[in-house]
Amino acid sequence: MSSGFGGPVWLMGTAWALVVLWAGALGIEDRCLPGGKHKASPGPEEHLDTCNLYRENACCSPDVIQDLSKANDIYWNRCEGLSRRCEEYFQQVECFYRCSPIAAQWPHPQRPTAVLAVPLCQNFCDQWYDACKEDLTCARNWLTDWHWGPDGNNCSQKCISYGQMYMDGKELCETIWDDSFTVSTDPCECLTLTASDPGISASHSHYEDSDSTEDLETIKVDSRRVGRKGLCPGSLLLQRLKKNLQKRSVFMEDVEGSGSGF
């Protein structure tokens, strides 16, 4: 009996090992954050409107981002009158969380659908603070400091300006979404949540090796806007993201050429 079952069992074992390896490859290099608001893996989406930066490789679908002002069941504008400039920074952060194909590289060990200590550039946080400092808010930590009711989050204290609530851009970024973000003063080791971030979207993953003058000019514009000094080819952050992009690219080429139909 053992010889009769040996062949099928061996084949099943081999097939299962291949499935595990394949799933592992997807899970490491081509996955999104878990949760109902994220897709299982990133892919193209045509109509992302405010989050259009991620359209070629998004972890979100159009229906999920229809109302970004209700971020993760938290309304941004509980003190009313949020300025357009301030709101644009909230949109950038929310689009990254919902749509970015690299957000899953910073998973939170206690909250599976959240991120932990994503490194944001100091200049990005300073500009966010400057854009919002005259606007009003009534919560310091947006994960813990609300009263909850049938209509969602409500103020637990009086409305004061962001400039009063937070001392500076660093405190804003490292407090407003609890431990989701940390601030880096090294422009080579942080994210700007723009096209200058390596791997932020499929359409921009080739920038470091691109010979296109137009592509490089786009990067320079985005870099100047947040004070970044180029793409910093030797940075640990770039190496980490590029390594995952290369693995994903090789893996997808193998799958697409295998005739598997995936």
Side-chain angles (χ1 to χ4, degrees):
M1 290 181 66
S2 60
S3 61
F5 285 95
V9 169
W10 180 85
L11 287 174
M12 289 175 65
T14 302
W16 176 249
L18 289 173
V19 168
V20 170
L21 287 172
W22 177 75
L26 282 178
I28 294 172
E29 285 93 30
D30 203 27
R31 73 185 190 276
C32 297
L33 287 168
K37 293 183 179 179
H38 295 98
K39 300 193 304 188
S41 60
E45 295 286 349
E46 290 186 5
H47 306 292
L48 291 184
D49 299 325
T50 303
C51 301
N52 205 39
L53 172 64
Y54 304 96
R55 66 188 181 280
E56 293 193 21
N57 199 37
C59 282
C60 59
S61 56
D63 59 310
V64 168
I65 61 165
Q66 282 180 354
D67 186 6
L68 280 179
S69 65
K70 188 187 179 195
N72 306 311
D73 299 320
I74 296 175
Y75 289 91
W76 302 339
N77 196 8
R78 282 308 189 193
C79 291
E80 301 183 354
L82 191 67
S83 69
R84 179 59 186 162
R85 185 165 167 248
C86 179
E87 185 176 29
E88 285 174 352
Y89 279 89
F90 280 98
Q91 289 173 342
Q92 266 186 282
V93 173
E94 190 64 19
C95 285
F96 171 80
Y97 169 71
R98 296 197 190 193
C99 303
S100 174
I102 65 172
Q105 293 195 41
W106 289 274
H108 199 294
Q110 278 80 48
R111 302 193 300 273
T113 62
V115 292
L116 173 66
V118 176
L120 297 181
C121 293
Q122 178 76 64
N123 271 10
F124 172 82
C125 293
D126 289 344
Q127 291 176 16
W128 183 7
Y129 180 78
D130 184 64
C132 295
K133 63 184 179 182
E134 303 299 331
D135 289 276
L136 299 178
T137 184
C138 60
R140 178 175 171 81
N141 183 323
W142 284 28
L143 293 187
T144 61
D145 297 348
W146 298 105
H147 285 317
W148 291 92
D151 60 342
N153 60 307
N154 295 287
C155 292
S156 59
Q157 56 184 295
K158 68 177 184 179
C159 293
I160 61 175
S161 71
Y162 282 86
Q164 293 173 292
M165 185 68 76
Y166 307 103
M167 180 172 59
D168 52 26
K170 177 178 171 64
E171 190 170 71
L172 168 65
C173 279
E174 293 187 343
T175 305
I176 191 168
W177 286 118
D178 199 54
D179 54 4
S180 297
F181 301 108
T182 187
V183 176
S184 172
T185 57
D186 185 345
C188 294
E189 301 296 343
C190 60
L191 301 178
T192 67
L193 310 189
T194 69
S196 67
D197 290 339
I200 204 165
S201 121
S203 61
H204 300 104
S205 63
H206 67 288
Y207 277 156
E208 184 192 12
D209 301 316
S210 176
D211 293 326
S212 166
T213 303
E214 183 179 355
D215 288 345
L216 292 175
E217 286 303 315
T218 301
I219 287 296
K220 288 177 183 177
V221 170
D222 285 326
S223 300
R224 283 197 300 269
R225 192 163 77 86
V226 294
R228 177 175 292 198
K229 300 176 181 178
L231 286 180
C232 310
S235 73
L236 296 176
L237 176 61
L238 179 59
Q239 291 174 16
R240 173 185 180 182
L241 297 178
K242 188 178 178 186
K243 182 179 179 182
N244 277 350
L245 283 167
Q246 288 174 337
K247 287 182 179 179
R248 183 171 64 205
S249 176
V250 170
F251 174 75
M252 293 310 295
E253 286 174 5
D254 289 345
V255 169
E256 290 169 359
S258 67
S260 64
F262 288 100

